[in-house]
Amino acid sequence: MQNKGLIKLFAILFGLVSLYQLSFTFFANKVESSAKEYAEKNVNGGSGRELAKLEKKYIDSVANKEVVNLGVAKYTYNDIRDKEMNLGLDLKGGINAILQVSVKDILIGLSNDSKNSVFNEALAKADEAQKDSQDDYIDLFYSQFEALSNGSVKLSDPSIFGTKALRDKIDFNKTNEQVKSTLQQEINTSINTAFEVLRSRIDKFGVVQPSIQRIGTSGRIQVELPGAKDIERVQKLLQSTAELQFWEVYTNADVIPYFVQANAKSIELLKDKTASATEQVKDTAKKGDDIDDLLGESKDSTNVEAQKMLFNFLSPNQSQVSSTVGYARVQDTAKVNELLNNKEIRALLPNNLRNAKFLWNYQSITPAKAADAPEDEEVAAIIALYAIKSNRNDKAPIEGDVIADAKQDYDQLSKPVVSMTMNGIGTKKWAKMTSDNVGKFVAVVLDDYVYTAPSVNAVISGGSTQISGGQMTVSEAQDIATVLKAGKLPAPARIIQSEVVGPSLGKESINASIWSFALAILLVLGWMVLYYGKAGLYANIALLVNILFIFGVLASFNSVLTLPGIAGIILTIGMSVDANVIIFERIKEGLTGGKSLATAVDEGFSIKGALSAIIDANITTLLTGVILYAFGTGPIKGFALTLMIGIATSLFTAIFITRLLVDGAVTKGTNLTFNTNISKNWFKNINIEFLKKRKLAYVISGAIIAFGLVSILTIGLKQGVDFKGGRSYIVRFDKPVKANEVAATLKNAFGTAPEAKTYGSENQLKITTVYKIDEEGRQVDEQVQSELYKGLKPYLGDTTYENFKPGFEKAGSGIMSYMKVEPTIADDIKQAALWAVIGSLIVVFLYILLRFRKVAFSIGAVVAVFHDVLVVLGVFSILYKVMPFDMEIGQSFIAAILTVVGYSLNDTVVIFDRIREYANNSTSFTAGLVDKALSSTLGRTINTSLTTLLVMLAIFFFGGDSIKGFMFALIIGVIVGTYSSLFVATPIMFDVAKKREKK
């Protein structure tokens, strides 16, 4: 081998750089471990929130202290934390969310809230069409507008986009196509603004190594915050539009007379709705007369229903004059909103309240439990209601654009507040508003929630004010200041897909990954020494160097390491071993043929020897990785990235590092036999007539595929949440629970029974529901989670709702991870997955056609790939109901399928390469030649499959629960892929080649 010195130098430098980069992770982990130890020693009660606070306190205290001293350079924790290896959500916990910036709201804003009937109907129809379409919202709006207007009105009409604000860009003479171009530019500008605003908020949030990126041009923004524990806080921060307003307010004295009238009207409105329910209750009461007699009393169960009214849900504030007009239980706020927004009830508003707008406080209050109340009695949280003095245009006298600065501060009682200073215009407006309202109340409203509504004691002329709340925390005050300083979102952004992993589950995944990773490596190292002896030892050294290089590259480029990513690394270990196996088998053939050790080694490492097959096999897998990376998201990207990095490093180590070690042994005169006393007679003198068995193989494969297709068409496949939409919760309980009983219990909460399946241990369930998945709004997720908690209460013991929520470390019951996917994005994910599979098949077909120059080879390879995919799909359809782990068809499954495609091709290409070599590039070959090629590569095929299977079985049995389905698909794929390369791909190729010869 030439340039040995250069290769040695490169390998040493690469290794040193890898160790240097990984050292930051080592030192950062040391500090973080100390922080956890400190938190665990000092926490009271084991609360996850308290643990997180104490950890942060410790980290903050050492943030600027020196933790690494390399002599030439010194580093503090703040210096090294951004250099440590990024861990994905499944290993570190946190949240990954895709936000949809509302293009509809951008259009409404650009039209200045147009009242044009065609415009508004087109928006409504676009909303409906988007539920079942992958097209961008703006394109759906255009098609609906053109269909409804039929040329009668243009987009440039003054009542739509021909407004004063856009007069420099849109005039009445512009065609719809010209207006579309202008609107697209305005929408892109708004989305860019939203992106920058969100990035500014995230940067101030304090999470290590956050990620934010735009997805295409559809207004979607992906945010990943590994390590984030306060999930509720993150969701508020991401979805807050930061629309700050200052309003005058009505007092309770102003509003109570109206409430009395509204209550009377509500009795009338609700009477019809309750009549049928009342009759049903009466019928039930008749049937229960005998039971009532036995109990000695009979309650009038129809009485409450007959008197249903507004005041059942809202309690007017009848104390002294206040800005608070009433109170309601949190769960009743939706009903109060419905009644107060009813047209007939709003018609009762007197002239002085004509434009009143009712808004809730930003947070609820849980009253103290009465002394004589039962211990198990739950006290409902209540929330205050305010009446804002709005106007016809619903435009506040002062808005957030006048704020010059905002910061978290403390008031005179040392309570957290947000201090704000205004610009010149704001100062004048604020002075006038406070002057006009001395002795009255003024409300500070953020995103339609009232944060404070104090009485004005005197004129405030300095342009400063505060946002305060009775129970405002420091973190809430910091977040409010952050969103105000970062600016207002140009349109609301809602989370349409999110994945939350709690830190407890992340820690367990890391532990399981370390065990499975270590076991997999030990099995491979042991097998190589057992099979190849001293040469196997050299391959093992190259393998360990390869692992160092992979982690070094990941750390150097701040790549994210995920659980599927670890699986990708372990898969590349198998491929690295495969390269050495191919080389060693060629060297053994040379030695068996009577060649000297040096000659056999030279030929084994040459392009005519093993190198051609190795390159072909790895390129097909690399192409699969590229397609996965292009179409995948989140963990799938992580898997694809580690797969591609691993292929590059494994090629280098297998070809060059192993060669250096083997050449060194040859030079020293070491006797290398490339086998041991145990393995020396394995796979020798094999001469199997594979092609004679092809018809039997066709029948077996056909029967398996037919059986699988019948199952797919009748039983179907279990689609994951990311393909069909919905919410999925992994909930842990203190004791083992039965999935069917829990599902039946939750039927009362969700209306229909959700899917519930044991997830790993018997005290853990995966609960999937589509309850309220089509409803939008920040409160919907909270409502569904609250209903889940109520439904599971009998199984949760003493767990409070606060501890039940996802995020923070959990000592007992609670949500360990959570995933939500809205139907609109689920369709997009499914379509992208389909294109990924089709794209990979096309690319593979073209590559093999280009490489082997015969259509027969391409057809054989693609048919084998189809065969493998159909078998894996059939197995998943047949077994998903009986297996004790998740077998959902989602993004991870597609990643597994594409990996199976790559692995199957790897096997097939090695065999095809040997056939081509034996045929000496002839256009024709015999059955005997093909059988000889298959027999000569059988040792390599079985050896590689066995090592890969050992690795995968280690991960399957000892890895985390979340990866079992993924690994099961890979295990089936490796077994089927090995079979198909021998009994499907090659026979099909042979039959097609012979038919073409006859023609």
Side-chain angles (χ1 to χ4, degrees):
M1 184 176 68
Q2 296 178 342
N3 301 316
K4 287 184 181 178
L6 186 63
I7 292 168
K8 280 182 184 177
L9 178 64
F10 177 79
I12 291 168
L13 290 175
F14 198 173
L16 290 173
V17 169
S18 297
L19 288 170
Y20 172 75
Q21 292 293 340
L22 289 170
S23 68
F24 292 115
T25 302
F26 172 77
F27 288 115
N29 285 342
K30 204 171 178 183
V31 174
E32 288 156 16
S33 296
S34 298
K36 284 181 181 176
E37 285 176 18
Y38 168 81
E40 286 167 1
K41 283 180 183 176
N42 293 279
V43 72
N44 291 320
S47 162
R49 187 180 292 275
E50 287 302 314
L51 274 169
K53 282 181 181 178
L54 288 168
E55 277 184 47
K56 188 174 186 304
K57 180 182 176 182
Y58 182 92
I59 293 290
D60 290 342
S61 69
V62 300
N64 295 309
K65 290 184 178 179
E66 179 187 306
V67 292
V68 181
N69 187 343
L70 300 177
V72 292
K74 298 177 182 179
Y75 298 97
T76 66
Y77 174 73
N78 276 345
D79 294 330
I80 65 170
R81 69 174 189 171
D82 291 330
K83 296 175 184 287
E84 69 174 317
M85 184 178 291
N86 290 340
L87 295 180
L89 300 188
D90 46 10
L91 294 175
K92 194 173 185 178
I95 179 170
N96 181 327
I98 294 179
L99 291 99
Q100 175 72 65
V101 179
S102 175
V103 176
K104 176 183 178 180
D105 284 285
I106 294 173
L107 290 173
I108 291 171
L110 291 171
S111 73
N112 197 22
D113 201 11
S114 172
K115 299 297 185 286
N116 184 286
S117 59
V118 174
F119 171 76
N120 284 291
E121 190 176 350
L123 290 175
K125 287 187 175 292
D127 285 342
E128 285 299 314
Q130 193 179 36
K131 292 177 182 177
D132 302 309
S133 174
Q134 282 78 51
D135 294 337
D136 288 348
Y137 184 88
I138 188 69
D139 295 324
L140 296 171
F141 165 74
Y142 289 150
S143 61
Q144 295 295 338
F145 181 84
E146 287 171 2
L148 290 166
S149 65
N150 199 23
S152 62
V153 61
K154 295 195 297 183
L155 290 169
S156 59
D157 189 279
S159 66
I160 307 178
F161 294 115
T163 60
K164 288 182 181 179
L166 293 172
R167 63 186 170 190
D168 294 336
K169 300 174 182 177
I170 298 174
D171 60 57
F172 186 72
N173 296 319
K174 288 205 170 183
T175 63
N176 281 352
E177 289 303 316
Q178 290 172 317
V179 174
K180 286 178 186 179
S181 176
T182 303
L183 290 177
Q184 190 61 59
Q185 291 174 7
E186 293 294 317
I187 289 169
N188 286 340
T189 300
S190 295
I191 292 169
N192 283 334
T193 302
F195 178 80
E196 292 302 327
V197 167
L198 286 170
R199 183 161 65 180
S200 178
R201 292 181 187 178
I202 289 165
D203 287 343
K204 292 180 178 68
F205 188 70
V207 173
V208 179
Q209 299 163 332
S211 168
I212 177 169
Q213 56 186 334
R214 281 190 62 176
I215 301 175
T217 59
S218 60
R220 288 174 182 169
I221 297 171
Q222 184 173 28
V223 175
E224 186 164 324
L225 300 175
K229 296 178 181 177
D230 195 339
I231 303 303
E232 197 172 1
R233 182 184 170 197
V234 171
Q235 290 171 333
K236 285 180 181 176
L237 190 75
L238 293 178
Q239 295 181 99
S240 170
T241 55
E243 187 174 2
L244 183 67
Q245 298 170 325
F246 296 82
W247 293 98
E248 296 177 350
V249 297
Y250 296 106
T251 65
N252 52 340
D254 296 327
V255 175
I256 283 177
Y258 162 68
F259 278 168
V260 173
Q261 288 182 287
N263 184 59
K265 186 67 177 177
S266 69
I267 294 172
E268 181 186 326
L269 292 173
L270 294 172
K271 188 180 292 182
D272 293 337
K273 293 181 181 179
T274 58
S276 58
T278 303
E279 291 302 319
Q280 290 176 5
V281 173
K282 285 180 178 177
D283 289 342
T284 305
K286 285 177 184 176
K287 293 174 184 176
D289 281 345
D290 295 340
I291 297 172
D292 290 334
D293 289 340
L294 288 170
L295 292 173
E297 61 176 316
S298 178
K299 294 181 180 178
D300 184 2
S301 59
T302 67
N303 190 42
V304 174
E305 290 292 343
Q307 294 179 11
K308 206 168 187 181
M309 54 189 171
L310 173 64
F311 286 171
N312 289 145
F313 310 103
L314 176 70
S315 299
N317 180 16
Q318 299 186 35
S319 60
Q320 60 186 14
V321 176
S322 169
S323 56
T324 304
V325 299
Y327 297 93
R329 296 187 303 172
V330 172
Q331 59 264 43
D332 292 336
T333 53
K335 191 65 180 178
V336 174
N337 290 340
E338 179 190 334
L339 290 170
L340 293 180
N341 290 325
N342 182 278
K343 288 182 180 179
E344 293 183 51
I345 289 179
R346 280 200 70 85
L348 300 173
L349 284 165
N351 288 332
N352 64 317
L353 297 175
R354 182 58 59 196
N355 294 308
K357 181 167 72 170
F358 296 98
L359 298 179
W360 298 100
N361 195 290
Y362 83 102
Q363 64 179 190
S364 59
I365 301 169
T366 304
K369 189 184 289 188
D372 57 347
E375 284 187 17
D376 58 348
E377 181 181 276
E378 289 189 29
V379 179
I382 60 171
I383 192 165
L385 183 68
Y386 300 85
I388 304 300
K389 288 186 179 179
S390 186
N391 47 54
R392 186 177 296 176
N393 298 321
D394 195 26
K395 187 167 179 65
I398 305 177
E399 295 191 329
D401 54 359
V402 303
I403 301 299
D405 192 21
K407 64 178 181 178
Q408 184 265 316
D409 209 340
Y410 295 93
D411 63 11
Q412 295 173 344
L413 300 175
S414 297
K415 289 186 176 181
V417 296
V418 180
S419 294
M420 299 178 292
T421 54
M422 301 182 182
N423 59 23
I425 296 171
T427 299
K428 291 177 183 177
K429 287 184 176 180
W430 186 230
K432 185 178 185 308
M433 179 179 270
T434 53
S435 173
D436 294 344
N437 288 277
V438 173
K440 299 178 184 178
F441 300 91
V442 172
V444 181
V445 177
L446 182 64
D447 292 341
D448 283 339
Y449 287 96
V450 177
Y451 276 73
T452 184
S455 173
V456 179
N457 297 322
V459 178
I460 303 173
S461 56
S464 62
T465 188
Q466 291 180 338
I467 298 178
S468 61
Q471 297 180 349
M472 182 180 287
T473 64
V474 171
S475 60
E476 284 174 339
Q478 288 171 342
D479 290 346
I480 294 165
T482 294
V483 297
L484 291 177
K485 286 174 74 174
K488 186 176 97 172
L489 285 176
R494 79 175 195 277
I495 294 175
I496 58 173
Q497 180 187 347
S498 64
E499 183 178 4
V500 174
V501 179
S504 301
L505 203 60
K507 190 190 295 182
E508 290 167 11
S509 296
I510 287 178
N511 293 335
S513 299
I514 290 170
W515 276 106
S516 62
F517 192 75
L519 180 61
I521 291 173
L522 286 173
L523 288 171
V524 171
L525 296 179
W527 175 258
M528 290 300 286
V529 172
L530 174 72
Y531 196 86
Y532 290 110
K534 190 173 285 187
L537 190 61
Y538 296 150
N540 288 343
I541 294 170
L543 179 61
L544 294 173
V545 172
N546 181 32
I547 294 168
L548 173 65
F549 285 175
I550 291 172
F551 282 104
V553 171
L554 288 171
S556 300
F557 292 98
N558 283 327
S559 303
V560 179
L561 182 65
T562 61
L563 206 53
I566 289 175
I569 291 171
I570 296 176
L571 188 63
T572 59
I573 289 171
M575 296 183 68
S576 178
V577 169
D578 178 47
N580 278 317
V581 166
I582 295 172
I583 292 168
F584 290 171
E585 290 298 318
R586 291 306 292 253
I587 294 172
K588 282 166 69 176
E589 286 177 20
L591 293 173
T592 304
K595 294 176 182 176
S596 68
L597 179 60
T599 305
V601 168
D602 281 340
E603 287 186 0
F605 281 96
S606 70
I607 194 74
K608 289 182 180 179
L611 203 55
S612 173
I614 291 169
I615 291 171
D616 284 337
N618 279 275
I619 284 178
T620 52
T621 310
L622 182 66
L623 290 171
T624 303
V626 169
I627 291 165
L628 260 178
Y629 191 80
F631 288 94
T633 58
I636 306 309
K637 270 190 185 293
F639 172 77
L641 184 65
T642 53
L643 190 65
M644 291 187 290
I645 292 171
I647 287 168
T649 57
S650 63
L651 275 174
F652 175 79
T653 54
I655 295 169
F656 294 111
I657 303 296
T658 309
R659 180 71 189 271
L660 283 172
L661 295 169
V662 170
D663 278 358
V666 172
T667 304
K668 289 177 182 177
T670 305
N671 181 28
L672 286 178
T673 58
F674 293 88
N675 56 35
T676 63
N677 291 330
I678 298 172
S679 65
K680 63 183 179 181
N681 293 318
W682 291 0
F683 306 113
K684 274 195 171 185
N685 303 318
I686 295 173
N687 188 17
I688 301 172
E689 294 180 328
F690 286 94
L691 292 182
K692 281 190 177 181
K693 299 174 178 60
R694 68 183 185 277
K695 290 183 180 177
L696 176 63
Y698 291 163
V699 171
I700 292 170
S701 292
I704 293 170
I705 289 171
F707 191 53
L709 287 173
V710 169
S711 177
I712 291 168
L713 294 172
T714 53
I715 300 173
L717 293 159
K718 186 183 179 185
Q719 292 189 59
V721 166
D722 47 355
F723 272 16
K724 67 180 180 181
R727 292 180 177 84
S728 178
Y729 303 86
I730 293 174
V731 183
R732 182 172 293 171
F733 303 87
D734 291 328
K735 297 176 182 178
V737 292
K738 292 183 178 178
N740 57 344
E741 288 181 7
V742 172
T745 304
L746 287 172
K747 185 176 181 180
N748 298 326
F750 294 149
T752 57
E755 290 181 18
K757 185 169 183 177
T758 301
Y759 189 84
S761 56
E762 291 183 351
N763 69 326
Q764 204 162 261
L765 292 182
K766 183 172 186 178
I767 299 167
T768 305
T769 178
V770 292
Y771 178 61
K772 290 194 174 183
I773 195 61
D774 290 318
E775 295 185 25
E776 296 177 7
R778 280 164 48 186
Q779 297 80 17
V780 176
D781 290 338
E782 179 68 25
Q783 288 172 9
V784 176
Q785 193 171 266
S786 177
E787 291 297 328
L788 178 68
Y789 173 72
K790 289 176 187 174
L792 294 176
K793 195 72 175 74
Y795 305 96
L796 294 173
D798 298 330
T799 302
T800 63
Y801 181 57
E802 189 63 29
N803 290 333
F804 175 77
K805 292 177 182 179
F808 298 113
E809 291 196 27
K810 299 186 187 303
S813 305
I815 297 174
M816 307 305 290
S817 74
Y818 156 69
M819 187 175 188
K820 167 199 168 183
V821 182
E822 290 193 1
T824 50
I825 194 170
D827 289 338
D828 296 349
I829 293 169
K830 194 188 296 184
Q831 190 179 55
L834 181 64
W835 281 115
V837 174
I838 293 170
S840 66
L841 293 175
I842 293 171
V843 167
V844 162
F845 181 88
L846 293 175
Y847 176 77
I848 293 180
L849 181 62
L850 181 70
R851 191 71 182 86
F852 292 93
R853 306 291 176 87
K854 289 192 76 170
V855 174
F857 283 107
S858 288
I859 291 173
V862 171
V863 168
V865 165
F866 267 112
H867 167 277
D868 299 345
V869 170
L870 288 174
V871 170
V872 174
L873 284 170
V875 168
F876 266 60
S877 174
I878 294 165
L879 298 179
Y880 82 83
K881 288 185 177 179
V882 296
M883 283 295 185
F885 51 85
D886 237 357
M887 294 182 69
E888 291 182 345
I889 307 298
Q891 290 186 89
S892 294
F893 178 80
I894 296 301
I897 286 292
L898 290 179
T899 307
V900 166
V901 167
Y903 185 86
S904 177
L905 285 169
N906 190 318
D907 255 1
T908 303
V909 165
V910 170
I911 293 168
F912 283 179
D913 199 77
R914 185 60 65 92
I915 292 170
R916 183 179 57 180
E917 180 190 338
Y918 283 175
N920 198 21
N921 291 322
S922 170
T923 56
S924 176
F925 36 77
T926 63
L929 183 147
V930 172
D931 285 337
K932 183 183 175 185
L934 286 166
S935 296
S936 66
T937 57
L938 187 62
R940 173 262 159 201
T941 301
I942 293 175
N943 205 343
T944 301
S945 298
L946 191 60
T947 52
T948 308
L949 271 175
L950 284 172
V951 166
M952 290 178 175
L953 287 167
I955 308 171
F956 178 76
F957 285 112
F958 299 98
D961 294 322
S962 62
I963 207 170
K964 284 195 186 298
F966 176 75
M967 293 314 302
F968 185 72
L970 289 180
I971 289 166
I972 299 298
V974 167
I975 295 169
V976 175
T978 304
Y979 161 83
S980 70
S981 62
L982 295 169
F983 295 103
V984 178
T986 309
I988 290 286
M989 178 276 297
F990 180 77
D991 287 342
V992 171
K994 288 303 170 189
K995 283 182 181 179
R996 290 178 67 83
E997 280 180 27
K998 287 179 182 178
K999 287 183 180 180

